[in-house]
Amino acid sequence: MSLRTFLFRQLPRTIYHTQKYSPHVPLLQSEAHNLNLCPRRFNHKAIKCWQCGIERKNLGELFCEQCNYIQSPPEKDNYFKIFELEEKFSIDPKQLTSKYRQMQGLLHPDKFSNKSDTEKDISAEFSSLVNKAYNTLQTPLKRAIHLLHLKGAVIDEDQRVEDPEFLMEIMELNEEVENADSDEKLKKLKLKNDSELSKIANEINKCFETGEINKAKENIIKMKYFNSVSVHINNLIREKGITE
């Protein structure tokens, strides 16, 4: 197998999966107005409640301030705004998870079991969007790609690193993983790869902070290679039943 073919297979496509969260004690719908859950920085434009027709003043609320009916998501493209997070690569995971759980508590299906079909459809759409946004932002690689997109740049599916030294480093790392003949060696390789992912994440963060979008893009592509190695290692650890 050629080096080019090997590395092409190592670079997976980024797929956004969704996952559900069901809190044990769902919050009451009326509590939505008392929680600072949703973004307040939407563009202020004339949007009316689909139920009562009032012009909505606070587009960040899940429910209409007049009739308390659930509203469609005002922001679907910027996942940071959905959770009212600052648009940057470095985020607080605990804050993200907390807001995610609060929002899903308000959108829990049990809250809409006796509601109209329209309300059920809107809540399901909103819940799906929240899941997708959370799954994206909690993962460094997906978060970086999403932020890059918001900055007006994209990574093509066939875009590769041209640095031969870096490519050789990745190939040798994969060979070490394949040839690891003990649990301890595999664990050490995991630590080594995790360290590389951490370093490159720091570089990506610096690039976004300084506005070096092209450099951030280059580092994100490199992160995809290390992420592929990480997936490979984790699969082997799971198959072998290795404990931390």
Side-chain angles (χ1 to χ4, degrees):
M1 182 186 300
S2 68
L3 174 61
R4 183 181 183 83
T5 301
F6 171 80
L7 292 171
F8 182 86
R9 292 182 178 179
Q10 290 302 310
L11 191 55
R13 294 182 178 181
T14 302
I15 302 175
Y16 298 103
H17 300 286
T18 59
Q19 60 186 52
K20 296 291 183 180
Y21 175 82
S22 298
H24 295 296
V25 184
L27 299 174
L28 295 175
Q29 189 181 65
S30 59
E31 292 177 295
H33 301 295
N34 298 322
L35 290 173
N36 184 23
L37 304 180
C38 302
R40 312 288 179 180
R41 296 185 291 274
F42 299 120
N43 293 326
H44 293 287
K45 53 185 178 181
I47 296 181
K48 295 183 178 181
C49 170
W50 63 271
Q51 174 63 22
C52 68
I54 189 175
E55 183 176 327
R56 300 186 61 215
K57 297 180 180 179
N58 192 342
L59 300 182
E61 294 288 352
L62 286 171
F63 302 95
C64 173
E65 52 266 41
Q66 178 69 27
C67 65
N68 205 36
Y69 273 68
I70 189 167
Q71 303 297 302
S72 296
E75 177 62 62
K76 298 182 180 180
D77 299 323
N78 190 322
Y79 296 160
F80 292 93
K81 286 186 176 181
I82 290 175
F83 297 108
E84 200 176 17
L85 296 174
E86 188 176 349
E87 196 174 298
K88 61 180 184 178
F89 179 71
S90 179
I91 63 174
D92 183 349
K94 291 183 179 180
Q95 182 184 11
L96 171 64
T97 299
S98 176
K99 286 183 176 289
Y100 167 73
R101 290 177 175 176
Q102 288 176 320
M103 292 185 75
Q104 285 296 45
L106 293 170
L107 296 167
H108 194 277
D110 289 349
K111 302 288 183 63
F112 299 90
S113 59
N114 297 321
K115 301 295 183 179
S116 66
D117 289 341
T118 299
E119 291 172 277
K120 289 178 181 178
D121 290 343
I122 293 176
S123 65
E125 176 194 11
F126 216 141
S127 179
S128 176
L129 177 63
V130 169
N131 278 320
K132 183 177 180 180
Y134 177 70
N135 184 260
T136 298
L137 296 185
Q138 72 168 343
T139 308
L141 177 58
K142 294 179 182 179
R143 181 169 67 248
I145 293 174
H146 179 62
L147 184 56
L148 188 70
H149 174 73
L150 294 177
K151 300 296 183 182
V154 295
I155 297 177
D156 298 329
E157 287 292 340
D158 60 348
Q159 199 157 357
R160 302 288 182 265
V161 173
E162 300 297 333
D163 183 356
E165 291 186 8
F166 174 80
L167 296 177
M168 186 58 66
E169 176 187 353
I170 294 296
M171 186 172 184
E172 290 176 350
L173 182 56
N174 270 290
E175 288 178 349
E176 286 186 78
V177 173
E178 285 292 341
N179 297 327
D181 54 7
S182 70
D183 294 354
E184 288 304 315
K185 285 185 178 180
L186 202 55
K187 288 181 180 180
K188 288 181 179 179
L189 287 170
K190 175 176 171 55
L191 290 175
K192 177 182 178 181
N193 192 68
D194 287 348
S195 176
E196 292 299 326
L197 278 170
S198 180
K199 289 178 183 177
I200 204 164
N202 289 334
E203 286 300 316
I204 291 172
N205 186 52
K206 291 178 182 178
C207 290
F208 277 124
E209 287 183 342
T210 57
E212 299 176 272
I213 304 305
N214 287 333
K215 190 174 180 180
K217 181 177 178 178
E218 293 174 2
N219 281 304
I220 292 172
I221 295 174
K222 288 183 177 181
M223 177 181 268
K224 294 181 75 173
Y225 283 91
F226 284 114
N227 191 71
S228 178
V229 175
S230 180
V231 171
H232 187 194
I233 292 175
N234 289 332
N235 285 339
L236 288 175
I237 288 177
R238 184 168 54 253
E239 290 172 6
K240 295 176 180 291
I242 300 174
T243 57
E244 297 294 334

